[in-house]
Amino acid sequence: MSKKIEEPLEHSSRNCWDVYSSAADRKAVSDRADKYMDFLTRCKTERETVDYVLAAAAKAGFETKLTDKTTAYVHAQRGKTVLLARRGKKPLAEGFRLVGAHCDSPRIDLKQHPLYEDTDMALFKTHYYGGIRKHQWMARPLALHGVVVKKDGRVVPVRVGEDVSDPVLTITDLLPHLAYKQAEQKLADAFEAEKLNALAGHEPVGKTDDKDRVKRHVLELLSARYGVTEADLFSAELQLVPAGPARSLGLDGSMIGAYGHDDRSCVFSALEALLTTEQPEHTQLVLFWDKEEIGSEGATGAQSLFFEYALQDILDAWEPKTKLSHVFARGMAISADVNAAMDPDYADVYEKLNAAYMGQGACFNKFTGHRGKSGANDAHPEYVAFLRRILDEAGVPWHMAELGKVDIGGGGTVAKFLAVYGMDIIDMGPAVLSMHSPFEVLSKVDIHATVEALRAFLKS
Ligand code: MN
Ligand code: MN
């Protein structure tokens, strides 16, 4: 007699709308989407995101003080990266469950000498951050977010353009009537970074013969509103981001159009997953980094030693006899990041059998990288099998994909920077359309499924 077959022979993926089809599930999907849209509307920079996380953590009883009695610990660095830890029933010597995501998104930064006047207009010089398609950021309302730090150390927050009564800024674009020559150019040549200057003023002050009267007006406004001078802009981080709230998308309102799904969808999902689980078996760690979009560099990126030092502190407080290297080697991690959803208009750059799809839940990316998997963390199949079991037992839909056709492009995430410690790690996140654009698209059912997937993982 042949062995009993417990699993179906063929794999077929599930549409999450069918999985979450009951009235109660649909309400949960909708409620969670509302909460997520509110989060996205509030959090458009890494600092705003970390502030949101710190407030939510404080409300949930996470403490900034670490002792041998602490069970929920939160530790932030420079307001741009943050670690949350909830102590498990098992010691750290038996490993941890870590979810990491990044809280920065592509955007347009102001240069340090930003303000100038030309043709009776005041403009800001900019320097883009992360991988953008420049033309997508032109001729649309932009809000100005960030901080200016005074010489005495005072940090002045700036947030203009979100309230409908606020003015917005914009980067102008060429009219089609005079774009005949530009239209013949290669896309990479047609839009120059040095032409991404943001319009910031037009009304002059002073007398007719004065020089740079429009620039002067903008400086007077900055001084009156923020107490900021032109020199203070040297010690500023000011970012132009798409203005306005996250929106329900589609006539059925089934999707969310917004700035920053990459990767705030995973920040939200990880936070939501952590704050809705009770005391876990293994210690839960949730980590949000900055600078992923420019290579995870700097003191607040995933290549920094922030996590290593923070985990050593936790170990010193909770299990001083345990070696850090042992904890790392037994750790299990998910690098939570979005994947590119199959776009029917650009199906030619995707390989349909191994593409990520809207509506199929969080998507595992066993490896990222370019060409011959260059620069990839390639997750071990033993770990993939473990995760399949966890999610299937929890009844959470998920799928498996890679980014586009081989040799067409590529991408990377923070996974490889954690893999160096010997821990198990894999990329996972929802599928997004128009990734890195000012208006990324994500399915409401996918954000729900992602939270459920991360919950199942953190509880394991
Ligand atoms: Mn990302
Ligand atoms: Mn990205």
Side-chain angles (χ1 to χ4, degrees):
M1 239 179 82
S2 65
K3 215 174 100 195
K4 192 179 156 221
I5 297 168
E6 289 167 346
E7 304 262 336
L9 271 180
E10 280 142 345
H11 168 74
S12 52
S13 38
R14 292 188 292 170
N15 183 312
C16 293
W17 293 106
D18 296 330
V19 176
Y20 298 113
S21 59
S22 72
D25 278 341
R26 287 295 172 88
K27 184 170 185 315
V29 168
S30 167
D31 289 351
R32 196 163 261 163
D34 287 347
K35 190 172 178 187
Y36 174 52
M37 287 195 288
D38 175 66
F39 162 81
L40 279 180
T41 301
R42 290 166 190 273
C43 302
K44 294 198 179 178
T45 68
E46 60 281 0
R47 282 179 192 257
E48 289 169 359
T49 308
V50 168
D51 285 347
Y52 180 102
V53 170
L54 289 177
K59 208 171 147 206
F62 280 72
E63 298 172 86
T64 51
K65 205 171 141 239
L66 182 60
T67 70
D68 60 340
K69 305 276 185 307
T70 309
T71 55
Y73 172 60
V74 57
H75 178 54
Q77 171 150 290
R78 311 267 177 170
K80 297 178 183 178
T81 181
V82 59
L83 172 72
L84 296 99
R86 188 192 275 125
R87 199 167 185 169
K89 291 175 199 154
K90 294 180 175 162
L92 268 166
E94 291 186 37
F96 54 75
R97 299 290 182 266
L98 163 70
V99 179
H102 66 93
C103 54
D104 61 320
S105 297
R107 59 180 191 246
I108 313 269
D109 286 342
L110 295 201
K111 290 192 183 189
Q112 298 325 115
H113 276 288
L115 186 60
Y116 69 103
E117 178 170 336
D118 196 345
T119 326
D120 294 330
M121 290 179 278
L123 296 120
F124 284 132
K125 293 296 298 177
T126 69
H127 196 137
Y128 66 95
Y129 172 98
I132 63 164
R133 283 156 64 79
K134 298 182 190 84
H135 60 277
Q136 295 178 338
W137 295 73
M138 305 161 88
R140 57 173 301 132
L142 297 170
L144 186 65
H145 289 230
V147 296
V148 183
V149 185
K150 302 284 291 178
K151 275 199 282 190
D152 64 8
R154 259 183 312 131
V155 179
V156 182
V158 174
R159 191 180 165 97
V160 189
E162 296 298 347
D163 194 283
V164 283
S165 64
D166 281 357
V168 293
L169 283 75
T170 196
I171 295 166
T172 56
D173 194 7
L174 193 55
L175 63 169
H177 316 65
L178 296 180
Y180 291 1
K181 253 169 83 181
Q182 189 197 43
E184 300 295 318
Q185 285 180 288
K186 278 199 324 202
L187 193 59
D189 301 331
F191 303 99
E192 292 170 44
E194 290 297 353
K195 288 186 177 172
L196 295 180
N197 301 312
L199 194 50
H202 168 58
E203 183 185 347
V205 290
K207 297 195 199 73
T208 317
D209 297 339
D210 292 350
K211 228 179 122 255
D212 286 348
R213 300 158 69 208
V214 184
K215 175 185 168 183
R216 174 81 198 185
H217 191 191
V218 170
L219 284 173
E220 285 181 7
L221 290 172
L222 288 174
S223 171
R225 286 181 198 160
Y226 303 105
V228 160
T229 65
E230 188 171 24
D232 290 332
L233 299 177
F234 292 133
S235 47
E237 282 180 350
L238 293 170
Q239 313 177 359
L240 288 168
V241 296
R247 305 289 296 266
S248 276
L249 183 75
L251 293 178
D252 56 1
S254 57
M255 298 163 282
I256 301 167
Y259 166 64
H261 287 314
D262 177 10
D263 187 31
R264 296 193 188 104
S265 59
C266 293
V267 171
F268 174 84
S269 298
L271 186 65
E272 196 65 4
L274 179 73
L275 299 184
T276 54
T277 48
E278 301 302 312
Q279 200 204 354
E281 290 299 312
H282 290 90
T283 291
Q284 299 171 329
L285 303 171
V286 166
L287 189 45
F288 301 133
W289 290 283
D290 175 30
K291 300 283 185 285
E292 193 275 345
E293 296 293 358
I294 57 167
S296 299
E297 314 283 349
T300 52
Q303 293 201 66
S304 78
L305 300 179
F306 168 71
F307 176 48
E308 184 179 323
Y309 291 162
L311 191 57
Q312 182 67 63
D313 288 345
I314 292 171
L315 211 53
D316 289 346
W318 292 354
E319 287 167 51
K321 294 209 174 81
T322 303
K323 274 176 74 176
L324 184 63
S325 58
H326 289 192
V327 177
F328 272 133
R330 288 166 182 74
M332 288 185 174
I334 287 180
S335 158
D337 208 341
V338 296
N339 202 329
M342 164 62 86
D343 184 332
D345 277 337
Y346 298 97
D348 53 318
V349 298
Y350 297 85
E351 188 267 285
K352 64 181 193 300
L353 194 59
N354 288 283
Y357 290 90
M358 296 265 288
Q360 292 196 3
C363 152
F364 283 111
N365 225 17
K366 188 171 175 293
F367 49 84
T368 56
H370 304 257
R371 302 203 179 273
K373 299 193 181 182
S374 177
N377 160 65
D378 203 343
H380 305 291
E382 290 85 348
Y383 186 45
V384 179
F386 166 80
L387 292 167
R388 284 176 57 209
R389 178 168 65 74
I390 297 294
L391 295 188
D392 288 349
E393 282 175 4
V396 178
W398 58 275
H399 65 307
M400 178 68 76
E402 63 177 272
L403 183 72
K405 275 184 180 164
V406 185
D407 284 350
I408 278 275
T413 66
V414 302
K416 62 178 177 178
F417 305 124
L418 291 184
V420 296
Y421 291 109
M423 71 180 79
D424 266 314
I425 186 160
I426 189 168
D427 286 297
M428 190 192 80
V432 166
L433 288 167
S434 299
M435 196 197 289
H436 281 206
S437 82
F439 195 70
E440 299 177 321
V441 175
L442 183 136
S443 163
K444 287 185 178 176
V445 80
D446 285 336
I447 191 87
H448 184 72
T450 302
V451 175
E452 293 307 317
L454 294 179
R455 280 186 72 191
F457 169 72
L458 285 173
K459 278 199 274 190
S460 69

